[in-house]
Amino acid sequence: MSRARKKRFGLVILSAALAAVVLAGQAPTGWRFRVDRSASASDPDAPGSVKFVSTGSGFHATNPQAAVFWNPAHLAADSYSVKGTFTLLTPSNHTNYYGLVFGGHDLEGPAQSYLYFLVAQDGTWLVKRRDGDALTTTVLPKTSSLAIKKPDSSGQSINALEVRVTPAALEFIVNGTVVNRWLDAARLVKTDGLYGLRVNHFLDVLVDGFAAGPLTPNAVSRSDSATAAVTATVERLLSSTVFTVRGATTGAGGEVLVIAPSLQRPLVRDAQVTVFGDMAPFDPLQMAPKIKAAILDLPADVVARYRGRSIMIAASVLDQKMVDLTQRVPPPMTTDEVALSALMKRISPAFTALGQGADGSNAEDVIKNATSLEQMFGDLQMFWKTKQRADAEAWATEARLQSRAIEGAVRSSQWSLVRPAMATIGQQCQSCHAAYRDPFADGSFRIRLVGK
């Protein structure tokens, strides 16, 4: 490889004077990792520290908490491929994801950003973007694929993942199958930067064959992809759920017809959107059961023009702010919802701090946060009592009692009782959220009382 080619690809060594990152445990020479602790009381991390070690020609990641792993010398730019084969050693007790990171920047600091392509034991994949410590956005939604290997009778599964990056498109590949081809992605996301790995909590994963290399700019697969995505400009608005988009690489004719049966908010002409879904030949009669009434109000000349042509049936439509316009618009929050939201925003960080204190056997921090949680769960208990929701009241009561038990256990030096009590608190929170929490695409929640 020429010197110029190496520079363009980004195989350069960074200064060792990069800002320090708080890390847990050891890492192979040259590698770093950053832990993302769960802030959810209903989905707390497991006890212990992340371990990331070399094994044979690859790596072994044991993750009680989620973490991103990278080597500062691993940089890629322009057209390149990143790949790795992941062996899930033991299924998680709930769905968790693992896979490839690319386009990373400032991974040591609060402005961290990267893209990540992940799979899970339930046979689904997704693509997300992180912007800063607090914000993650799903770019391509959770999607099932037969290409993903699920755990076998031994509990293990092996999946070879690859991301191909070119100016024209991104391709996401599982075990040789292109599960998605994203045209003109460069209009929305930046792909130059660090590449590495991500493994979420409760996972034990081996990684082999992790590597990156340059591609020719037109090195995109000629095979069909299972799903498609395109970042493009809204060209024409044909109905409340049908429109066309035009992009630099949208193919012959330059314009793609999009049918978005679940579109919830109006589009604006000339706006940039990212559309994800399935490509299919346009046949109104055959498509009717799938797209329902979305095409019934289309002009006859539009139907005639696109009949037989490949169009997109959209499952999601993102605007430039990464808001999915196919998701329900949350109603204004009621006074009760404002009060409950404020209480939840206090419980989550206190529970996270409680876990950190327990990891470090810091009695003062554990007692302080357990005492705070006891009071807050008491407030939550009274909230649900006024709503006459006996089950939610009981869950809050049990969480309050477990918080008190944690305080007592630490005062009597019975640390072995802390984590089981925390797990019980998490179970109470999870039960309540499942019954009464109604999530929306913008990350907000409302109280679900109807039918309960």
Side-chain angles (χ1 to χ4, degrees), residues 344-369:
M344 290 296 144
K345 289 177 181 178
R346 292 166 53 209
I347 289 175
S348 286
F351 191 82
T352 299
L354 179 69
Q356 292 171 344
D359 287 344
S361 299
N362 188 320
E364 182 179 353
D365 281 356
V366 172
I367 290 171
K368 179 181 70 175
N369 287 291

Side-chain angles (χ1 to χ4, degrees), residues 346-426:
R346 292 166 53 209
I347 289 175
S348 286
F351 191 82
T352 299
L354 179 69
Q356 292 171 344
D359 287 344
S361 299
N362 188 320
E364 182 179 353
D365 281 356
V366 172
I367 290 171
K368 179 181 70 175
N369 287 291
T371 302
S372 296
L373 284 168
E374 181 183 358
Q375 179 180 346
M376 287 185 279
F377 283 126
D379 293 341
L380 186 61
Q381 176 186 344
M382 293 305 300
F383 175 89
W384 288 115
K385 184 174 183 178
T386 63
K387 301 294 173 240
Q388 298 182 330
R389 304 290 164 169
D391 52 356
E393 182 184 350
W395 293 324
T397 300
E398 181 62 23
R400 178 177 61 81
L401 294 175
Q402 292 295 329
S403 299
R404 181 187 298 173
I406 290 172
E407 178 187 354
V410 173
R411 290 189 185 278
S412 60
S413 298
Q414 294 179 292
W415 285 93
S416 63
L417 302 179
V418 172
R419 279 295 176 180
M422 288 185 64
T424 301
I425 292 174

Side-chain angles (χ1 to χ4, degrees), residues 149-193:
K149 303 298 183 183
K150 297 181 181 180
D152 58 21
S153 58
S154 71
Q156 297 187 4
S157 59
I158 301 175
N159 286 288
L161 307 185
E162 182 180 1
V163 178
R164 295 176 187 162
V165 178
T166 70
L170 299 183
E171 288 188 332
F172 303 98
I173 301 164
V174 180
N175 297 319
T177 297
V178 182
V179 296
N180 182 268
R181 182 176 296 114
W182 180 3
L183 301 178
D184 288 343
R187 297 179 64 177
L188 183 69
V189 297
K190 303 300 183 186
T191 55
D192 291 357

Side-chain angles (χ1 to χ4, degrees), residues 81 89 126 143 181 186 198 214 218-219 249 267 325 352 355 381 439:
S81 165
L89 296 176
L126 52 75
T143 304
R181 182 176 296 114
R198 182 177 175 92
N218 61 348
T249 58
L267 292 171
L325 305 180
T352 299
Q381 176 186 344

Side-chain angles (χ1 to χ4, degrees), residues 32-353:
R32 305 182 180 196
F33 65 90
R34 178 172 184 153
V35 173
D36 290 335
R37 292 187 178 275
S38 173
S40 172
S42 63
D43 187 19
D45 292 325
S49 300
V50 171
K51 296 179 182 178
F52 185 59
V53 298
S54 296
T55 175
S57 60
F59 306 99
H60 184 185
T62 306
N63 282 44
Q65 302 90 37
V68 173
F69 308 90
W70 78 96
N71 186 321
H74 290 170
L75 286 161
D78 300 326
S79 297
Y80 63 90
S81 165
V82 179
K83 63 179 66 176
T85 299
F86 296 78
T87 300
L88 180 64
L89 296 176
T90 306
S92 169
N93 58 5
H94 60 292
T95 300
N96 283 300
Y97 286 83
Y98 55 92
L100 299 169
V101 167
F102 62 106
H105 294 273
D106 194 28
L107 298 187
E108 302 85 1
Q112 60 169 324
S113 64
Y114 53 86
L115 294 161
Y116 44 127
F117 169 48
L118 311 175
V119 297
Q121 67 196 43
D122 65 350
T124 61
W125 64 268
L126 52 75
V127 177
K128 300 189 73 172
R129 186 174 82 174
R130 176 177 286 279
D131 293 289
D133 288 350
L135 180 61
T136 61
T137 308
T138 299
V139 184
L140 303 182
K142 175 180 178 179
T143 304
S144 296
S145 173
L146 295 176
I148 300 172
K149 303 298 183 183
K150 297 181 181 180
D152 58 21
S153 58
S154 71
Q156 297 187 4
S157 59
I158 301 175
N159 286 288
L161 307 185
E162 182 180 1
V163 178
R164 295 176 187 162
V165 178
T166 70
L170 299 183
E171 288 188 332
F172 303 98
I173 301 164
V174 180
N175 297 319
T177 297
V178 182
V179 296
N180 182 268
R181 182 176 296 114
W182 180 3
L183 301 178
D184 288 343
R187 297 179 64 177
L188 183 69
V189 297
K190 303 300 183 186
T191 55
D192 291 357
L194 293 159
Y195 59 90
L197 310 165
R198 182 177 175 92
V199 178
N200 284 350
H201 68 178
F202 289 94
L203 292 178
D204 191 8
V205 176
L206 292 176
V207 185
D208 291 303
F210 177 69
L215 295 174
T216 59
N218 61 348
V220 294
S221 172
R222 295 184 179 181
S223 63
D224 292 334
S225 60
T227 63
V230 59
T231 298
T233 301
V234 176
E235 185 83 359
R236 293 190 295 160
L237 302 172
L238 301 174
S239 77
S240 61
T241 56
V242 183
F243 56 97
T244 65
V245 295
R246 185 182 297 273
T249 58
T250 47
E255 190 178 68
V256 175
L257 183 72
V258 179
I259 299 178
S262 57
L263 194 65
Q264 301 289 315
R265 312 179 205 193
L267 292 171
V268 178
R269 194 175 183 274
D270 295 328
Q272 179 181 291
V273 294
T274 298
V275 184
F276 167 84
D278 299 317
M279 301 297 295
F282 184 42
D283 185 325
L285 291 179
Q286 289 188 6
M287 289 182 169
K290 187 171 185 178
I291 60 180
K292 300 179 182 178
I295 62 169
L296 296 183
D297 55 351
L298 279 181
D301 63 320
V302 173
V303 174
R305 177 181 178 183
Y306 284 95
R307 189 184 300 274
R309 289 175 55 179
S310 184
I311 69 164
M312 180 177 285
I313 303 175
S316 69
V317 180
L318 302 180
D319 66 12
Q320 284 183 285
K321 295 182 179 179
M322 307 292 283
V323 175
D324 189 349
L325 305 180
T326 67
Q327 300 298 311
R328 294 176 301 149
V329 179
M333 295 183 76
T334 65
T335 302
D336 283 339
E337 287 168 338
V338 170
L340 184 59
S341 176
L343 184 55
M344 290 296 144
K345 289 177 181 178
R346 292 166 53 209
I347 289 175
S348 286
F351 191 82
T352 299

